[in-house]
Structures are given as C-alpha cells and as structure tokens.
Amino acid sequence: MNASLADTNDATDTAPWAHSFASLGEDFFVPLKPTAVPSPYWVELNEALAESLGLVGLNDPQSGWLQYLAGNAVADGMRPLASVYSGHQFGVWAGQLGDGRAILLGELAGQEVQLKGAGLTPFSRMGDGRAVLRSSIREYLCSEAMHALGIPTSRALCVIGSDLPVRRESMETAAVVTRVAPSFIRFGHFEHFSHNDQHLQLKQLADFVVDRFYPECRSDGRFGGNPYASLLQAVTERTARMVAQWQAVGFCHGVMNTDNMSILGLTIDYGPFQFLDGYDPDHICNHSDHHGRYAFARQPQVAYWNLYCLGQALLPLIDDQALAVKALETFKPVFSAENARRMAAKLGFAAASDTVTALGNAALDLLAAEKVDYTIFWRRLSHWAARRDVADHTVRDLFIDPHGIDAWLLRFSEQVTHTPLAHSADLMLQTNPHFVLRNHLGELAIRAAREKDFSQVAQLQLVLAQPFDDNPALAGYADFPPDWAAGIAISCSS
Ligand code: AMP
Ligand code: MG
C-alpha cells in the first residue's frame, strides 16, 4: 500500500501537519533543515504508533518516509525547527542549552514529531548533532517499554540507521530516532526566558502551555485565579506521580537535569537509564554521575529540587512567593500518597495503609540487604501470593539468609488473611512486571543490530509491549542478568 494518510489516498505531502509550537514565534526556536545521513535504513518502525498518527505504509520505499525521518528530505507541511532552552545540570546552572541534535518537524494528530540525532543546530555547542545506534535503540525500546507499563512517557516512532561513523568513547555509527509526545517543552524552556528577564516570552510560553495542556488552571479556586501558580501545582503533581511510578518499577533515569524534565510530567530524554537488577537504593546508573546525584533513591528529592527551579522560573508570573511555595509543597503529600498506593498495589492491596506501607518498607530493606533482583522478587511474590502453597520456596530461594524473608512472608500472609477482600494476587500480577528492559537485553539487541540483524530489536519490543504476560516461551527475557551485565557501562555519551 502506498504511504498515505490512513483515511485518504493523497500523497504524504498532504499529511495534516500542525505547528502549534512554531506559532510562538522565533524567540523560541530557529527554523532549520535536518542534515542528511548517507544511505539510511530502517532499524525499527512502530507501525501501531504510526497508525495512531494517521500514517500508514511508511516503510513502502515509494513513500519517501525513510528519507523524511532520516532527516534527508523535508516533506511538504513540515516546518523543522530547533528550540532554545537552558537548564540546571547536575545541580549547577548551565546557561543556554537548547535542541542540540533534536529537530521538531511539527505535529500530527496533536502529537509533536521530533527527530533526535538529525544534525547540527545553533544549540549543538561542542556536540556533533548526532546520536548513535546504541543510544537510539535504547531510547526507542525504553519509551515503548515505559508506555506499556503505564508510565507517562514520550513515545518512539522509529529508529533509522546509517553507516555514518560517529565518535564517542569509541567509533560507532549514526542513527536518528523519531520521538513523539504532545509537547517536548521542558522546565528548561521556562528557566531560559526567566533567567534572561524575557518576561513577555515567559508569559507567552506559560499561556501556551496552560491553554493547550492545563486549561483547568485558569479556573483553579485554590490559587485565587492565578493560573501560573496553578500550573506549577499541576506540574508538581504530575511529576510526583511519574517519579512514584519510576520508584515502584525500579526505573532509574540517570540524568534528571532540569532540561530533561517535561512540563507535562512525561519521562523524556532516555540516556543512561536503567531498570534495577539487584535492588540497591544507592544505585547510580550513569557512570558520568560521580557523586550519585541521580542515584535511584534520590530521584524523588531531585524531582522536588527541579520543581523548585521551575517555581523560581515562574515566579515573575506568579508574583507571590507564598503561592509558589504552596504549589510546590504539594509534592511531598502527592508523592507519598502515590508511592504508598503503588507499593500497596505491588503487595496486592487496592489501597495503602500504615501497616501495608510498613510491610513494603520491610521488604525493601530485605532486598537491599542482599541486593536481591527487584523485578524477579516482585514477580515471584505475585505468583507465590496467587498459589499460597507452603512448599513454594521460589521467593525464599532468592535470599542467602532465609530468616528475614521467612518472617516477612509470614507477616505478609497474615496481612493477606486478615484483609481477604481487599487483597488480590491478580492486582500483583498486573502491577509487578515480568519483563523490563534490563541493560543486558538492550545490549544483546544492540550487538545484533550492529551486525545489521534488527530482528532482536523487534522481538524485544514485542516482549516489552506485554510486560505482565508470563509467556513461557519468552522466559529467557525474564531471567536474571548474566554476570557480564554488571560490566555494561552506561554514560551520558550517546
Ligand atoms: P542531554 O544530557 O542528552 O540531555 O543533553 C544536554 C544538552 O546537550 C542538550 O542541549 C542536548 O541537545 C545537547 N547534546 C547532547 N548530545 C549532543 C550531541 N551529540 N550534539 C549536539 N548536542 C548534544
Ligand atoms: Mg536532554
């Protein structure tokens, strides 16, 4: 079938691109064309997402989409641009950053479509404007894995490779990943205009975000009609909920700089991320993070710190420090409640209570003491709860010292027995994933892709799209990491 809009027979150049962000004007971006890569090829294409954008037949060679999404051609209707933002990196003001290798093409079906790795922009600073195959596959797989887990995230439409050499720690090859989200506006966009005392632009940006994504902020009685304080509160809540989901599933983002924080509370900018193997609250997944600022257990605190930066940036609009603080203070109760609710669900309880929270914390202490595999523990516990068989030692066998876990399982059983109506092993099975994107799984798919075998990327995406499915044929994807996984070094370099 020729590439066309799903509901018309017209050529792709009639795709109904919209350009809301571009309507902000050129204080916010620089229009520019992507830079071509030699001989692009498909690595992976997300047909379901394409269809939801109203696009079919992208991989038809006649369609031109390989060239469009490689950045080698601009289709009619696209208005490529790179946006300007600033931000705090590793706790320090970094000044102007901007889309150094991301190029926004416009919107389809209300979703921004952005190429990452599409060449130099005025914001590339010392970078080369490129992304490598390795990091592009990781971003693609992780966005789709997070989506399947129900965690707010940007999506990934495709990865396109090229043999163009790209220098990182060693020589690699280039790729372009197409990302999709309702908006890629970051905290750093607000920090940029605030820091430069461009208050008109700051207001324009805030009004844009409120009108498009948070219209309820215009009539929020809690803030006496101050839409910007209400916006800060809404972003605070979304961010708190998102991070609570990260913690529950064992996701470590790795670079929570303010320029990587979405104004919509989406997980964005997948770089050195990792799903925990053994549970270690101090785990640092980013080898460039020498002080552990973004260690797993610090993520909620860092999110709160980042929200303070956003609050500071919005202060000229909020114009009332007490209101800004009031908005930000919602972080702690919202995070605590969401975290408790998510932990309760992991234990099979529909609602949190002090007893259940204490039970969850006791489990985490046991896991941390022996760095027990986080995903496997929760999945085995879910099956254990479903069977309730005294001879079932699958959970106990995860621990070298069985005493603590034996006592804990007894305590858990008593809790379940005392609240039989409220407990559900099914809830556990729908909450605790069987499959997560462990580093070694991504690494194996990447190694094959480097040899031009893209089937493992496709297969892994299918597995991660059904994270709660116990398909025995796929058991290998749910297994412990091999010993070599501990040696995979993931840095900011991507
Ligand atoms: P990140 O740590 O990936 O969020 O990137 C921080 C900033 O550096 C952003 O402004 C990126 O656009 C920019 N950047 C990262 N890698 C590159 C690259 N290879 N070329 C140009 N800019 C880059
Ligand atoms: Mg970034």
Side-chain angles (χ1 to χ4, degrees):
M1 184 174 187
N2 283 335
S4 61
L5 291 176
D7 54 354
T8 77
N9 290 321
D10 293 339
T12 51
D13 60 9
T14 61
W17 291 95
H19 299 281
S20 308
F21 186 85
S23 73
L24 284 167
E26 293 194 10
D27 288 335
F28 295 84
F29 61 86
V30 175
L32 82 173
K33 283 188 179 162
T35 310
V37 287
S39 310
Y41 44 83
W42 294 106
V43 173
E44 176 68 356
L45 170 61
N46 188 339
E47 309 232 17
L49 182 60
E51 206 169 307
S52 78
L53 297 174
L55 300 168
V56 291
L58 294 194
N59 54 2
D60 178 338
Q62 302 304 312
S63 75
W65 278 96
L66 176 62
Q67 302 298 331
Y68 299 146
L69 297 178
N72 289 9
V74 177
D76 285 354
M78 293 175 179
R79 283 171 61 185
L81 63 86
S83 77
V84 63
Y85 55 81
S86 295
H88 284 83
Q89 297 189 315
F90 292 92
V92 178
W93 177 246
Q96 179 178 306
L97 302 163
D99 292 326
R101 54 178 170 166
I103 297 183
L104 177 65
L105 301 177
E107 293 149 46
L108 287 176
Q111 303 284 315
E112 288 189 349
V113 179
Q114 191 189 63
L115 305 183
K116 179 171 176 179
L120 290 171
T121 79
F123 312 112
S124 299
R125 298 177 298 144
M126 306 301 281
D128 57 7
R130 291 297 174 196
V132 294
L133 181 67
R134 162 181 56 86
S135 65
S136 304
I137 289 175
R138 278 171 54 84
E139 172 141 18
Y140 179 94
L141 289 172
C142 200
S143 349
E144 292 306 297
M146 295 288 267
H147 173 71
L149 289 166
I151 300 175
T153 177
S154 59
R155 302 286 306 276
L157 179 63
C158 62
V159 177
I160 291 172
S162 162
D163 291 344
L164 178 75
V166 174
R167 177 174 294 284
R168 293 294 179 260
E169 276 92 351
S170 59
M171 287 311 284
E172 303 191 42
T173 59
V176 180
V177 56
T178 301
R179 312 194 285 192
V180 172
S183 170
F184 284 96
I185 295 177
R186 300 138 192 276
F187 292 8
H189 281 96
F190 291 87
E191 291 180 280
H192 180 77
F193 295 104
S194 194
H195 184 85
N196 293 332
D197 291 327
Q198 291 177 282
H199 293 174
L200 280 178
Q201 289 86 343
L202 180 67
K203 181 171 184 306
Q204 203 190 335
L205 185 65
D207 286 338
F208 176 84
V209 169
V210 167
D211 292 340
R212 249 175 103 64
F213 303 110
Y214 295 95
E216 66 283 1
C217 290
R218 297 253 177 238
S219 52
D220 182 352
R222 294 171 299 178
F223 292 94
N226 187 322
Y228 310 111
S230 177
L231 172 65
L232 181 58
Q233 151 123 0
V235 178
T236 299
E237 288 191 16
R238 282 200 198 180
T239 306
R241 292 212 169 86
M242 172 190 73
V243 177
Q245 286 187 267
W246 290 1
Q247 301 309 110
V249 81
F251 175 78
C252 200
H253 181 282
V255 214
M256 290 176 70
N257 294 333
T258 57
D259 55 299
N260 291 340
M261 299 291 294
S262 150
I263 201 69
L264 301 184
L266 306 173
T267 313
I268 56 167
D269 279 20
Y270 292 91
F273 69 83
Q274 185 179 5
F275 284 88
L276 296 181
D277 290 319
Y279 181 70
D280 175 6
D282 299 324
H283 184 70
I284 303 164
C285 62
N286 177 356
H287 285 237
S288 316
D289 181 8
H290 304 295
H291 301 290
R293 178 178 174 83
Y294 301 137
F296 176 71
R298 296 191 66 175
Q299 296 188 122
Q301 232 175 297
V302 169
Y304 190 44
W305 191 93
N306 289 342
L307 285 158
Y308 257 83
C309 293
L310 178 65
Q312 190 73 42
L314 288 172
L315 208 50
L317 302 181
I318 298 174
D319 202 26
D320 180 336
Q321 191 147 357
L323 273 190
V325 170
K326 178 180 163 187
L328 290 165
E329 275 179 351
T330 53
F331 184 88
K332 286 180 186 167
V334 171
F335 176 78
S336 298
E338 190 67 17
N339 189 48
R341 191 173 76 80
R342 298 267 168 200
M343 286 310 291
K346 290 181 83 64
L347 290 161
F349 299 97
S353 67
D354 289 348
T355 327
V356 169
T357 299
L359 192 63
N361 289 338
L364 294 180
D365 288 344
L366 289 170
L367 296 181
E370 290 190 25
K371 294 195 172 50
V372 172
D373 191 279
Y374 189 69
T375 303
I376 292 178
F377 169 79
W378 288 105
R379 193 69 191 175
R380 285 197 187 178
L381 185 69
S382 310
H383 284 297
W384 186 88
R387 290 195 289 265
R388 303 283 295 285
D389 171 4
V390 283
D392 177 352
H393 286 172
T394 48
V395 176
R396 180 185 211 262
D397 287 348
L398 291 169
F399 294 79
I400 297 164
D401 174 2
H403 295 98
I405 190 65
D406 281 346
W408 186 89
L409 286 171
L410 199 60
R411 198 173 145 193
F412 176 54
S413 292
E414 282 167 4
Q415 198 63 44
V416 169
T417 312
H418 287 142
T419 50
L421 288 177
H423 188 269
S424 155
D426 276 347
L427 175 61
M428 297 179 75
L429 288 163
Q430 289 308 310
T431 303
N432 299 309
H434 189 43
F435 302 117
V436 293
L437 178 56
R438 294 180 189 263
N439 266 349
H440 76 277
L441 297 176
E443 181 67 22
L444 289 171
I446 289 163
R447 284 183 195 170
R450 282 180 172 147
E451 305 299 322
K452 300 278 196 311
D453 169 6
F454 307 125
S455 63
Q456 294 198 33
V457 177
Q459 169 69 9
L460 188 49
Q461 200 226 312
L462 285 178
V463 170
L464 296 169
Q466 308 285 340
F468 304 107
D469 185 352
D470 278 300
N471 185 344
L474 302 174
Y477 291 94
D479 215 342
F480 292 96
D483 288 344
W484 59 264
I488 302 173
I490 306 290
S491 69
C492 273
S493 140
S494 60

